Amino acid sequence: MTSNVAILDVSNIKYTSPGREAVRRLFHHRSAILGMIILGFLLILAIFAKQIAPYDPIQLLRDVDRREPPCIHLLGCAADQPQHLFGIDGNSRDLLSRVIYGSRLSLQVGLSTVSFAILIGGVIGAIAGFVGGWLDDLLMRIMDVLMAFPSLLLAIAIVSFLGTGLINALLAIGIVSIPRFARLVRSTVISVKELEYVVAARSIGANQGRILFGHIIPNSLTPLIVQATLGIATAILDAAALSFLGLGAEPPRPEWGLMLGEERNSIFNAPHLVFFPGVAIMLTVLGFNLLGDGLRDALDPRLRGTAAG
Amino acid sequence: MKYRWVYALLALFVVASMVIAGCQPAPEATEAPAAQPTAEVVVPPAEPTAVPVVETPAGRNNYVEMKVESPDCEYGGEFKSIETVDEFTVKFTLCYPDADFPSKVAFSVFSIADKEYLDANTGDSVKMSEAPNGTGPYMLKEWVRGDRVIYEANPNYWGTAAAIPNLVFRWSEQSAQRLLELQSGQVDGIDNPAPEDFAAIEGDANLALYPRPALNIFYIGFNHNVAPFDDVKVRQAIAYAIDRQRIVDQYYPEGSQVAKVFVPPALKPGYSDAVDWYPYDPEMAKTLLAEAGQENLEITLSLRNVVRGYLPTPDKVAQEIQAQLAEVGITVNINVMESTAFIDATAAGTEGFYLLGWGADYPGATNFYDYHFAADTNLQFGDLYPDLVEEIRAAGKISDPAARQVHYDKVNQLLKDDVVMIPVAHGASATAFKASIGGAHASPLGNEVMGVLTSDSDQFVWMQSGEPATLWCIDETDGETLRACEQIFEALLSFKVGSTEVEPGLAESYVANDDATEWTFTLRQGVQFHDGALLDASDVVASYAAVWDAASPNHVGRTGNFEYFTAFFNKFLNATE
């Protein structure tokens, strides 16, 4: 029995894959755990919004006054009043339901824009880094031009050009995030393409496509994952900002930024209307940032071999 | 580098051309549009300076005899002639009786400007805004575009001079910002605080709230030239689907009323007790939509997100309407537009379904009906409804109240039958001032007079919802703009401060003949314009002629539409169409 355990230990140390090691690190990273808890909670809210939310988010309630503060039975709200944990919004809709449904939209926004940006940016970066030469110069100068604009300003310009609406806002945010991923992928591709296994693949006659997609890209994913997680946070913030300015989601869609923007005049006379959507945005962005930091610490090669922190 | 000199020359050429381009005068953005009927006759002065040169000392007299006359009344307008009788007497001869005439000439759009000054600027509102030359208690000091308008008191004012030497107009769309600036003491008075803040203002010992009576209408407009609103069944269905009571209960402050007809109940003749609007009945709406074959209707609702007395929360009410219409199966897309663009688009007839309202300029039914349903320059409801125009015109031409009411009852019935628009609410609103400000008030007509205020400080800062478009209001309709003009310019008559009662203005007195077709005004003597010219009868004739006579070189304005003139007095003289 004893020897058995000893053997297992040995094999454990010998054959731990880098991936499993990273996951172990991640689960020992305190802020990453907090981030994952927040995001897990959000994910559950988003998936089961229909079951969790007490009301339809765009249905006008007939039995209440608009802008009523939260009514919580546990905290002394009269029992004959209908319970509204977050209160009633400016159009007599249940604010809690709107915030819950908003999580759906925010996660969709974050994931879709970042996927779009990674797909386009990744391909551009990989080609630029792998092919090099004048193509590299051309693509990267285009990316530099895109990077030169403040991202939100460029997004506003794109939305003004395409017309307002959630889809156009997503497209705009996706476009402004492209250069970040393109540059990242390019730099990792350049550092990976001279490594021995790539040279080995080349020497046995593998074609260019196979080398790029089979060997180089899979091995340059690590920083991309970190950047993507942080990118989601930025995308959600940008989308909220666009909606706040009236350029993104259109009423009556329960989008957090839009909810904030619509009620910015109420900050003094009905603070709950801006407090809850604001907190929701803050928590979501915080969740992605914490997870992103944790991922970076877990995946960063410089930290490999040192104690997980 | 053997081509060095070529490159040097090239660079020099580029720089030189940029310098030349930079020094070129900018294209005159304020030039009258090409469609202007008088474009051919306008002869711009050799030196189109914005500011007329003052040559003679203050108190200079520039009276000339003037008469503008129409050969007959066939052209369709109200004026037959306007003439100077002597230096201080003006006579208006009308083609038909007009009982509301004193109210109309008291309205600030028809303010009086100096004749020389009008001629020097060819009546161009934008040029005249550079150095507006009026008779009012305040003079323009500076207009910092996009930020503030600064006035100073007129030392030569004919009446009681303004007690506060400096007046500043500022603006913010955000009601929260207006209130915050008032609370923090940055501004001394604000227009239209949000209804939700009324209680807070009343509870604050440093502030005072002045309720403004609901002399206005908020309506949902249809343009029957735009599909699907060309189908009266669709318009009726929407009328049945809108719960107006709920909108007023939820979004309007106390003192507001659900509108039954287009004018508020205070306006009699005009208001019809007998006409009841369509009740809230979503089932009926669905039936009508099914009959019209429009079960899955998708429409666009346009609005401007500017708080006015008739509509305190435009974006919220739009969403309420969106949700109410969703219940009968109509999908509504909300289209928020920039304020001036929205007003121009509705007037041009390009918006099919929109939220708009109207605040009274003078307490007469003609002010509501004529402008909206009988002025050919206003296409907001599509082509005019001929039977409606006929009744409105007929009512405006007689002075017996009971006889007018008969016509107005028909008008209101027609408005209901054709569902030209949906009257929603008469909205109460308010102004708020620091409690230390004396003479503070809210005018039912929206023309607060800053000249009567008193304060411990030598400056009064007013914050309203929007920036004025110009400071010469002959071609303006926006209340925010009118208020800014009213501090500088004055009309023949005026409205008592905070009331709708007509009192003498630049004219001391007036008399009408028996059938109300001849009106003679006696001007006040010794009234000086800000540049020192004396007011005389020719200034009055010139001011009216500039807008009435389409062939006049001064018939320029800002857009050249002069909606108010055609609404009040019908057709232009010498109109090309």
Side-chain angles (χ1 to χ4, degrees), chain B residues 48-380:
Chain B
T49 42
V51 190
V53 188
V54 184
E55 297 140 346
T56 41
R60 85 201 125 93
N61 187 339
N62 52 10
Y63 173 68
V64 285
E65 270 187 32
M66 274 185 88
K67 179 168 188 176
V68 187
E69 189 176 21
S70 168
D72 52 49
C73 286
E74 299 300 306
Y75 77 103
E78 176 163 331
F79 290 126
K80 174 80 171 68
S81 70
I82 307 174
E83 63 194 295
T84 58
V85 177
D86 60 42
E87 193 177 342
F88 295 106
T89 314
V90 192
K91 187 168 139 195
F92 292 81
T93 309
L94 308 184
C95 287
Y96 46 81
D98 185 354
D100 281 333
F101 194 68
S103 292
K104 289 181 181 175
V105 300
F107 181 40
S108 57
V109 158
F110 301 106
S111 290
I112 306 304
D114 182 36
K115 180 175 180 300
E116 283 179 0
Y117 168 74
L118 259 178
D119 291 343
N121 291 300
T122 63
D124 182 327
S125 300
V126 177
K127 279 191 203 162
M128 291 181 69
S129 306
E130 295 299 320
N133 181 26
T135 55
Y138 281 103
M139 320 192 280
L140 180 72
K141 194 171 175 188
E142 191 187 1
W143 180 1
V144 186
R145 293 288 196 296
D147 183 42
R148 59 183 65 206
V149 180
I150 305 166
Y151 303 87
E152 58 190 350
N154 174 7
N156 301 320
Y157 188 53
W158 57 268
T160 315
I164 308 174
N166 298 297
L167 170 68
V168 177
F169 266 45
R170 293 177 53 204
W171 44 86
S172 166
E173 268 183 33
Q174 308 299 331
S175 59
Q177 191 194 344
R178 292 199 295 275
L179 180 61
L180 199 63
E181 300 238 9
L182 181 67
Q183 284 168 333
S184 66
Q186 302 287 313
V187 306
D188 305 290
I190 59 171
D191 193 20
N192 288 335
E196 299 87 45
D197 294 323
F198 281 16
I201 295 169
E202 280 174 329
D204 189 331
N206 296 319
L207 306 179
L209 186 77
Y210 298 87
R212 182 184 279 147
L215 206 59
N216 57 30
I217 175 75
F218 161 57
Y219 60 87
I220 306 171
F222 294 111
N223 185 326
H224 72 103
N225 288 6
V226 177
F229 309 107
D230 50 350
D231 186 345
V232 71
K233 284 216 168 96
V234 172
R235 304 202 297 270
Q236 264 175 359
I238 294 174
Y240 275 115
I242 302 278
D243 187 349
R244 288 140 60 239
Q245 184 68 48
R246 179 178 155 85
I247 292 176
V248 173
D249 288 349
Q250 293 272 327
Y251 301 95
Y252 279 80
E254 244 175 83
S256 309
Q257 292 165 293
V258 176
K260 258 167 51 137
V261 298
F262 194 68
V263 299
L267 293 189
K268 288 217 165 163
Y271 182 80
S272 300
D273 265 325
V275 178
D276 271 318
W277 192 253
Y278 301 93
Y280 171 56
D281 187 349
E283 290 312 313
M284 187 69 193
K286 282 183 201 162
T287 316
L288 281 168
L289 283 173
E291 279 175 28
Q294 299 274 21
E295 283 99 336
N296 295 311
L297 197 54
E298 186 169 347
I299 55 180
T300 300
L301 176 64
S302 302
L303 69 145
R304 56 171 177 168
N305 201 357
V306 173
V307 174
R308 302 306 312 271
Y310 53 74
L311 184 54
T313 48
D315 53 335
K316 295 291 176 313
V317 170
Q319 287 193 50
E320 173 77 29
I321 290 168
Q322 181 182 46
Q324 288 187 4
L325 291 181
E327 285 171 14
V328 299
I330 301 176
T331 311
V332 178
N333 300 312
I334 294 177
N335 174 28
V336 179
M337 297 171 71
E338 192 274 320
S339 178
T340 311
F342 172 72
I343 296 291
D344 290 349
T346 50
T350 55
E351 297 304 320
F353 186 51
Y354 53 89
L355 303 186
L356 197 50
W358 185 256
D361 307 303
Y362 63 86
T366 49
N367 183 222
F368 283 78
Y369 292 121
D370 296 37
Y371 175 87
H372 289 91
F373 309 115
D376 2 291
T377 47
N378 182 359
L379 298 175
Q380 66 176 108

Side-chain angles (χ1 to χ4, degrees), chain A residues 7-216:
Chain A
I7 290 164
L8 270 176
D9 273 355
V10 170
S11 65
N12 236 355
I13 292 159
K14 253 187 181 167
Y15 299 115
T16 301
S17 75
R20 193 170 295 173
E21 177 67 9
V23 171
R24 192 189 64 83
R25 259 184 237 270
L26 192 63
F27 277 98
H28 283 83
H29 193 286
R30 243 172 273 136
S31 55
I33 291 173
L34 187 60
M36 279 189 285
I37 291 173
I38 294 173
L39 294 181
F41 179 66
L42 271 174
L43 204 62
I44 291 171
L45 278 189
I47 293 172
F48 299 106
K50 209 166 182 179
Q51 286 72 31
I52 296 171
Y55 294 92
D56 181 339
I58 59 170
Q59 175 208 352
L60 304 180
L61 303 176
R62 294 255 165 200
D63 52 346
V64 290
D65 280 337
R66 58 193 282 260
R67 303 157 60 84
E68 259 179 22
C71 170
I72 305 167
H73 288 163
L74 277 176
L75 295 180
C77 180
D80 56 339
Q81 300 282 327
Q83 174 157 280
H84 295 285
L85 296 181
F86 285 6
I88 306 295
D89 87 341
N91 272 84
S92 57
R93 297 171 292 215
D94 181 53
L95 192 58
L96 173 64
S97 309
R98 288 179 69 73
V99 172
I100 290 175
Y101 271 89
S103 66
R104 215 175 237 198
L105 215 53
S106 281
L107 290 183
Q108 283 170 352
V109 165
L111 292 175
S112 58
T113 51
V114 168
S115 322
F116 173 82
I118 287 183
L119 210 68
I120 310 282
V123 168
I124 292 176
I127 291 174
F130 188 65
V131 178
W134 66 269
L135 191 62
D136 182 19
D137 277 349
L138 178 72
L139 290 174
M140 283 307 115
R141 288 308 78 75
I142 294 174
M143 293 300 115
D144 283 349
V145 170
L146 275 181
M147 282 282 249
F149 293 97
S151 66
L152 193 58
L153 215 59
L154 185 58
I156 291 173
I158 296 174
V159 171
S160 328
F161 179 69
L162 296 174
T164 58
L166 190 59
I167 300 297
N168 290 343
L170 297 192
L171 209 57
I173 297 166
I175 291 172
V176 300
S177 333
I178 287 176
R180 216 180 311 152
F181 293 107
R183 286 167 69 118
L184 187 75
V185 171
R186 172 179 172 270
S187 67
T188 49
V189 164
I190 286 176
S191 65
V192 168
K193 79 173 177 186
E194 301 302 333
L195 292 183
E196 287 91 346
Y197 64 88
V198 178
V199 177
R202 194 167 283 147
S203 66
I204 61 170
N207 67 28
Q208 300 284 29
R210 192 189 164 93
I211 292 172
L212 179 58
F213 292 103
H215 297 283
I216 295 180

Side-chain angles (χ1 to χ4, degrees), chain B residues 381-406:
Chain B
F381 301 103
D383 296 332
L384 298 181
Y385 295 78
D387 41 355
L388 207 47
V389 174
E390 197 180 309
E391 292 295 334
I392 290 171
R393 289 285 177 229
K397 288 176 188 175
I398 45 181
S399 42
D400 174 40
R404 288 177 78 185
Q405 186 60 43
V406 174

